[in-house]
Amino acid sequence: MKKFTCAADLGDVDIAVQKALEMKKSPYSEKHLGENKTIGLIFFNSSLRTRLSSQRAAQNLGANVIVMNVGTDGWALEYEDGVIMEGSTAEHIREAAPVMAQYCDILGVRSFPGLKDRDFDYSERILNSFINLTGVPVVSLESATSHPLQAFADLITIEEHKKVERPKVVLTWAGHPRALPQSVPNGFCDFMTTSRNVDFVITCPEGYELCEDFTRGARIEYCQEKALEGADFVYAKGWSSYRHYGQILKKDYDWMIDSKKMALTNNAKFMHCLPVRRNVIVSDDVLDSPSSIVIQEAKNRETSAQYVFREILKALK
Ligand code: CP
């Protein structure tokens, strides 16, 4: 593997899930792979799970880790070509990214979208700058348009907890007071539509349809209650509109997942990438119930990151 930004980078995603679950049984058995290797984790935005799970994944493989909060600790970066740099930016990405690659064998990058300009965000300017300018493998730690390490962990979690061969997985939009990126639901759609092992349905209010590049003809059901019927997994997430880019179209929280809605399902497991706003996205009683597997899901962030780093380190040998 040379990079990791989408499900296709894993090859056969369902085989990758099986291999990752095998690896999870003995996470410290391949420490030789990371010997004398350094994984840089570059954060333009905040993180709890991605930061800690990626560090631990790298350590499990015996690799050194450098973490940098570029957004707060680095020089303000310039991305435009040909610009006269007499403003607030102090360093161009054309130097900053390749310099980071001098110290790191793999670079992980987290960079959120601005949610102002859809074409700009979906061009993945920052992530692609690292891919094009560094010459080292780049791992998305959540980009402007996707969160593949989260989605891979989600698919691993579904495989671990499923009770039927091909479970019904429902991605449901939920209201949120802030305009959120489409990265997590896009990544989830990428993985669910790539896997052969899930029956995938998206439910959202009209106007919240996600980018077709990620949903790829997946069934969209505008009635949330109908979508939830018979679900084996309910994955809730807030996101802003793709069509009316970055906007909040619906301000109430009547799409929140509560025990009444969970009662429509096939005794479904509740999933969320976290962090989650209680009693906005999901009610306390669902989140605190045995149906919730959000902690197990977060644990699998370590497994997804370790699998990706492992495959890249093997390719570097
Ligand atoms: N789910 C997730 O990526 O969490 P963080 O933003 O805390 O890393």
Side-chain angles (χ1 to χ4, degrees), residues 205-315:
E206 285 193 42
Y208 278 99
E209 298 85 354
L210 292 160
C211 174
E212 177 59 28
D213 291 348
F214 295 92
T215 57
R216 301 186 191 116
R219 188 178 137 207
I220 300 175
E221 171 56 64
Y222 293 105
C223 172
Q224 188 191 37
E225 297 195 347
K226 197 168 164 199
L228 292 173
E229 279 171 17
D232 298 294
F233 292 89
V234 175
Y235 195 104
K237 186 71 185 83
W239 66 84
S240 59
S241 175
Y242 173 73
R243 195 194 304 168
H244 307 282
Y245 193 64
Q247 289 182 32
I248 295 176
L249 309 177
K250 188 169 158 39
K251 292 197 177 355
D252 54 54
Y253 301 131
D254 57 355
W255 278 61
M256 181 179 78
I257 295 296
D258 56 19
S259 52
K260 210 168 136 205
K261 289 181 184 168
M262 289 298 281
L264 299 169
T265 70
N266 182 27
N267 200 19
K269 297 295 184 192
F270 175 81
M271 299 178 72
H272 189 282
C273 62
L274 303 180
V276 69
R277 295 199 180 212
R278 282 173 173 261
N279 304 309
V280 172
I281 300 284
V282 56
S283 62
D284 282 337
D285 56 349
V286 171
L287 196 55
D288 295 331
S289 76
S291 299
S292 172
I293 52 171
V294 297
I295 306 302
Q296 296 92 321
E297 189 182 349
K299 169 65 181 170
N300 280 332
R301 291 296 309 279
E302 178 186 337
T303 304
S304 65
Q306 186 169 342
Y307 182 84
V308 167
F309 291 154
R310 181 182 80 161
E311 296 306 304
I312 293 174
L313 287 168
K314 282 203 277 190

Side-chain angles (χ1 to χ4, degrees), residues 46-51 110 142 147 150 273-275 301:
S46 305
S47 168
L48 187 158
R49 279 143 291 274
T50 306
R51 175 186 302 260
R110 164 165 283 201
E142 186 172 344
H147 195 355
Q150 178 66 52
C273 62
L274 303 180
R301 291 296 309 279

Side-chain angles (χ1 to χ4, degrees), residues 25-310:
K25 291 179 193 162
S26 53
Y28 314 118
S29 63
E30 294 176 297
K31 280 198 176 282
H32 60 282
L33 284 175
E35 192 181 6
N36 297 328
K37 297 287 186 220
T38 298
I39 299 178
L41 304 174
I42 309 301
F43 287 89
F44 288 83
N45 307 95
S46 305
S47 168
L48 187 158
R49 279 143 291 274
T50 306
R51 175 186 302 260
L52 297 183
S53 62
S54 301
Q55 283 191 57
R56 186 166 152 114
Q59 287 160 358
N60 290 351
L61 293 162
N64 303 311
V65 186
I66 297 174
V67 183
M68 183 165 185
N69 301 314
V70 183
T72 52
D73 299 343
W75 300 108
L77 294 180
E78 179 62 57
Y79 301 95
E80 294 294 336
D81 283 333
V83 74
I84 298 169
M85 286 175 59
E86 59 179 2
S88 57
T89 55
E91 180 161 25
H92 204 284
I93 190 71
R94 286 186 170 277
E95 288 77 54
V99 164
M100 291 181 208
Q102 303 308 304
Y103 315 129
C104 302
D105 301 283
I106 300 171
L107 282 169
V109 180
R110 164 165 283 201
S111 170
F112 289 173
L115 292 179
K116 300 268 186 299
D117 179 338
R118 187 169 90 176
D119 289 342
F120 179 83
D121 287 346
Y122 275 67
S123 76
E124 291 284 15
R125 164 91 64 98
I126 294 180
L127 185 68
N128 284 331
S129 294
F130 277 88
I131 291 171
N132 295 329
L133 296 169
T134 63
V136 300
V138 170
V139 174
S140 169
L141 303 176
E142 186 172 344
S143 69
T145 67
S146 191
H147 195 355
L149 281 177
Q150 178 66 52
F152 186 26
D154 296 334
L155 192 58
I156 292 168
T157 309
I158 288 167
E159 184 64 20
E160 277 183 317
H161 291 268
K162 72 181 186 184
K163 295 199 191 82
V164 294
E165 195 51 38
R166 196 161 181 275
K168 180 177 177 183
V169 177
V170 178
L171 168 65
T172 178
W173 177 88
H176 194 284
R178 292 184 50 225
L180 296 184
Q182 295 109 33
S183 317
V184 168
N186 280 346
F188 192 70
C189 290
D190 177 25
F191 274 70
M192 294 304 125
T193 55
T194 303
S195 172
R196 297 176 296 278
N197 296 339
V198 295
D199 172 19
F200 182 49
V201 180
I202 303 165
T203 184
C204 62
E206 285 193 42
Y208 278 99
E209 298 85 354
L210 292 160
C211 174
E212 177 59 28
D213 291 348
F214 295 92
T215 57
R216 301 186 191 116
R219 188 178 137 207
I220 300 175
E221 171 56 64
Y222 293 105
C223 172
Q224 188 191 37
E225 297 195 347
K226 197 168 164 199
L228 292 173
E229 279 171 17
D232 298 294
F233 292 89
V234 175
Y235 195 104
K237 186 71 185 83
W239 66 84
S240 59
S241 175
Y242 173 73
R243 195 194 304 168
H244 307 282
Y245 193 64
Q247 289 182 32
I248 295 176
L249 309 177
K250 188 169 158 39
K251 292 197 177 355
D252 54 54
Y253 301 131
D254 57 355
W255 278 61
M256 181 179 78
I257 295 296
D258 56 19
S259 52
K260 210 168 136 205
K261 289 181 184 168
M262 289 298 281
L264 299 169
T265 70
N266 182 27
N267 200 19
K269 297 295 184 192
F270 175 81
M271 299 178 72
H272 189 282
C273 62
L274 303 180
V276 69
R277 295 199 180 212
R278 282 173 173 261
N279 304 309
V280 172
I281 300 284
V282 56
S283 62
D284 282 337
D285 56 349
V286 171
L287 196 55
D288 295 331
S289 76
S291 299
S292 172
I293 52 171
V294 297
I295 306 302
Q296 296 92 321
E297 189 182 349
K299 169 65 181 170
N300 280 332
R301 291 296 309 279
E302 178 186 337
T303 304
S304 65
Q306 186 169 342
Y307 182 84
V308 167
F309 291 154
R310 181 182 80 161

